[in-house]
Amino acid sequence: MFTLNPKSTSPLVVQIVEGFRDLIQSGNLRPGSKAPSIRQFAHAHGVSVYTVVDAYDRLVALGYFTSRPHSGFFVRKREGVAPQAPGTLPAETANYNFDSMWYLRRVFEARALRMKPGCGWLPGSWLFEEGLRRSLRTLASENVDLGGYGEPKGFAPLRQLVRDLLAEQEIAVSADQVLLTQGSSQAMDLVARRLVRPGDAVLVDDPGYPNLLFSLRFLGARLIGVPRTPAGYDLAALEALVIDHKPKVFFTQPRLQSPTGSVANLAHLHRVVQLAEQHHFTVVENDIYADLDPEPRPSLASLDQLQRVVYISSFSKTISPNIRVGYLAAPPDLLEDFAQLKMISGLTSSEFNERLAYGALVDGRWRKHLRNLRERLAQAHQRVAQQLENLGFELFCEPKAGMFLWTRHPEIQNATELAYKAAEQDILIGPGHLFAPDLQPSPWFRFNVAFTEEPQVLAFLKNHRQTA
């Protein structure tokens, strides 16, 4: 068939894609031919199953393979495709977009990898499990109507509580300006589907939040990355991008940003609001880590009072990611549009889950839980930052709060290759290209401080940092 060269500068995934592509284009693999199974190919060539999964996914996306459930992969008939010069790789494979889907599968499908320093949630023992159980017992004892769909905007008492929580942050809204959603991901999806059309220029943090970036690409947006700095944004770059691209929307995460952990200072927030007003674009503020922040800080929404800002947050990071309760607050006209889109796509969100969240939030121990959680994260930040620096890693910044550290090692050029090696040892790592708007290879890693201190993780990083 073809051979792989593990010493080549070309990644193994790319070698596999090129090998099959050449066989198909030369006619040595005919349309309808069955490809070796993933495990057969991995065993025959001495490579990781995950590497073959990624290569086959790329071949499917490029139109060379088709996948048939329970049967395997087959060569697809390609009509009207001009042959390419030998040794050239289609532009689509120059980036790592299917690595991104590999990563999501590992996180959300089987959760098969035991150690997860690259994940985006907290351990169950760090969350408000007892408060959630008490809420569940209370809910079970009440005469709750489980036969209806619930209110389109969500459980009214929880929306009123969100209004009060936002007032504590100096964001003045009515309960009618609050829409409950199935986590912050649904909130961002609703906003994106309302505000973004194919071809629109959309500003995003660079690096930024992978799920959002995937969603915007799917909608056909032109992603324009705004460089993050430890203090927030590269303001000169931001202003130039606004002038050059005339964006429709800016999706951003000013506080404890994923993946960098950086916090935008007050001057940067003011400038973003000014630019939005001057150039007539909407700012979507993703503030899902607000409850993890020990410092009271202004937000874009508090400065703008929801004139040009849509505010999104969630209880998934502090109560439980499983109950999927998030919310957005917006100007009244936009809020009604978001509510209608929510009804069109999924009728209502789960009132049962919203009641569960409400019970946990009004529990007398909720605020104590938040204080303890913030302190625990601060201590983990201090320890993990020191451990990574001892291994030679460089930190983008030291937020000392939130969940993440963004770091790189001078001897590691491509974080994705190390992520594959980690997966073979039951470790999920977050390679930097996942967070890049252009999906280009990156030396950066996102580490979740709550999962990075496992001895096996630190030993892996120590043993492999020179061989990546």
Side-chain angles (χ1 to χ4, degrees):
M1 186 171 276
F2 55 85
T3 59
L4 302 179
N5 180 8
K7 296 182 180 180
S8 169
T9 57
S10 178
L12 290 171
V13 171
V14 175
Q15 292 183 49
I16 296 170
V17 172
E18 286 182 322
F20 276 111
R21 184 208 65 193
D22 291 344
L23 288 173
I24 293 168
Q25 291 186 345
S26 66
N28 290 311
L29 269 182
R30 306 287 297 172
S33 301
K34 185 175 182 180
S37 75
I38 288 170
R39 292 193 179 278
Q40 286 173 340
F41 188 96
H43 178 74
H45 294 267
V47 297
S48 162
V49 167
Y50 300 113
T51 299
V52 184
V53 168
D54 184 31
Y56 279 27
D57 276 353
R58 293 188 189 202
L59 288 160
V60 170
L62 292 169
Y64 291 106
F65 279 5
T66 183
S67 175
R68 299 177 188 170
H70 312 299
S71 297
F73 292 85
F74 295 81
V75 177
R76 175 183 287 170
K77 184 177 181 182
R78 291 163 57 83
E79 301 288 352
V81 178
Q84 292 176 293
T88 62
L89 189 63
E92 296 95 325
T93 66
N95 61 35
Y96 283 75
N97 53 329
F98 297 103
D99 290 0
S100 306
M101 297 313 297
W102 165 86
Y103 176 86
L104 287 180
R105 281 198 300 271
R106 299 284 74 73
V107 174
F108 293 113
E109 266 187 16
R111 299 199 178 189
L113 302 182
R114 185 176 64 81
M115 293 165 280
K116 300 177 174 64
C119 76
W121 61 85
L122 292 173
S125 60
W126 292 41
L127 298 170
F128 199 36
E129 288 185 330
E130 274 305 309
L132 198 59
R133 289 192 181 98
R134 284 191 292 271
S135 178
L136 185 58
R137 287 194 293 268
T138 300
L139 192 57
S141 67
E142 295 176 348
N143 185 22
V144 178
D145 179 12
L146 299 178
Y149 278 106
E151 297 183 35
K153 290 184 180 179
F155 184 50
L158 181 54
R159 288 192 288 117
Q160 292 161 3
L161 181 59
V162 168
R163 173 201 61 197
D164 297 340
L165 293 173
L166 291 178
E168 293 179 12
Q169 300 182 48
E170 299 185 356
I171 304 171
V173 297
S174 69
D176 281 337
Q177 285 179 263
V178 175
L179 179 70
L180 301 183
T181 59
Q182 296 180 52
S184 61
S185 293
Q186 187 191 33
M188 285 186 285
D189 180 64
L190 294 173
V191 173
R193 286 195 288 128
R194 168 60 179 81
L195 298 180
V196 178
R197 295 291 177 268
D200 282 348
V202 175
L203 298 181
V204 293
D205 291 339
D206 184 7
Y209 181 49
N211 277 19
L212 170 68
L213 301 179
F214 296 157
S215 175
L216 292 172
R217 291 188 196 102
F218 185 79
L219 291 172
R222 290 189 294 116
L223 301 189
I224 312 298
V226 177
R228 292 291 299 212
T229 71
Y233 309 95
D234 181 332
L235 290 180
L238 171 60
E239 186 160 359
L241 292 170
V242 168
I243 293 171
D244 290 346
H245 295 279
K246 299 177 175 55
K248 188 84 169 290
V249 193
F250 181 16
F251 288 86
T252 185
Q253 195 171 46
R255 184 193 330 236
L256 300 176
Q257 191 244 3
S258 174
T260 66
S262 60
V263 177
N265 65 37
L266 181 59
H268 285 215
L269 298 181
H270 273 297
R271 187 60 183 140
V272 170
V273 170
Q274 289 170 354
L275 287 170
E277 184 175 355
Q278 292 168 4
H279 296 274
H280 310 291
F281 60 86
T282 301
V283 180
V284 183
E285 180 176 22
N286 178 6
D287 204 15
I288 59 174
Y289 303 111
D291 284 338
L292 302 182
D293 190 356
E295 300 293 331
R297 306 178 199 269
S299 62
L300 291 167
S302 68
L303 297 178
D304 173 80
Q305 291 301 314
L306 302 183
Q307 297 301 305
R308 288 196 169 273
V309 173
V310 174
Y311 182 87
I312 291 173
S313 194
S314 169
F315 302 112
S316 295
K317 305 302 179 185
T318 49
I319 299 177
S320 169
N322 251 330
I323 62 171
R324 310 303 304 139
V325 176
Y327 61 90
L328 63 83
D333 54 341
L334 273 180
L335 196 286
E336 295 304 320
D337 289 349
F338 298 147
Q340 185 168 348
L341 274 176
K342 175 186 170 183
M343 289 288 293
I344 292 170
S345 61
L347 297 180
T348 64
S349 44
S350 168
E351 183 176 310
F352 185 83
N353 286 351
E354 291 163 1
R355 285 174 177 267
L356 272 180
Y358 177 77
L361 291 166
V362 297
D363 187 295
R365 300 171 219 186
W366 166 247
R367 292 183 184 270
K368 181 180 179 182
H369 160 71
L370 286 184
R371 289 194 298 270
N372 292 340
L373 177 58
R374 293 163 185 158
E375 183 177 343
R376 192 171 188 177
L377 281 166
Q379 293 170 355
H381 263 276
Q382 185 174 1
R383 294 191 302 268
V384 172
Q386 186 62 62
Q387 289 161 340
L388 291 175
E389 287 183 324
N390 289 345
L391 292 172
F393 284 85
E394 304 167 357
L395 304 179
F396 180 81
C397 64
E398 292 190 60
K400 300 178 182 177
M403 296 165 59
F404 304 119
L405 283 170
W406 187 237
T407 181
R408 64 181 175 183
H409 195 285
E411 296 169 355
I412 300 174
Q413 300 304 311
N414 188 342
T416 303
E417 294 300 317
L418 190 63
Y420 279 121
K421 293 178 182 178
E424 294 171 357
Q425 298 195 24
D426 219 14
I427 301 171
L428 178 76
I429 284 181
H433 83 272
L434 293 170
F435 308 91
D438 59 7
L439 284 169
Q440 290 303 302
S442 168
W444 291 90
F445 297 88
R446 186 188 77 174
F447 284 106
N448 183 330
V449 298
F451 287 92
T452 304
E453 292 188 88
E454 291 195 52
Q456 298 97 316
V457 172
L458 296 172
F460 171 82
L461 294 174
K462 180 178 180 180
N463 294 334
H464 287 79
R465 66 184 188 274
Q466 295 181 342
T467 59

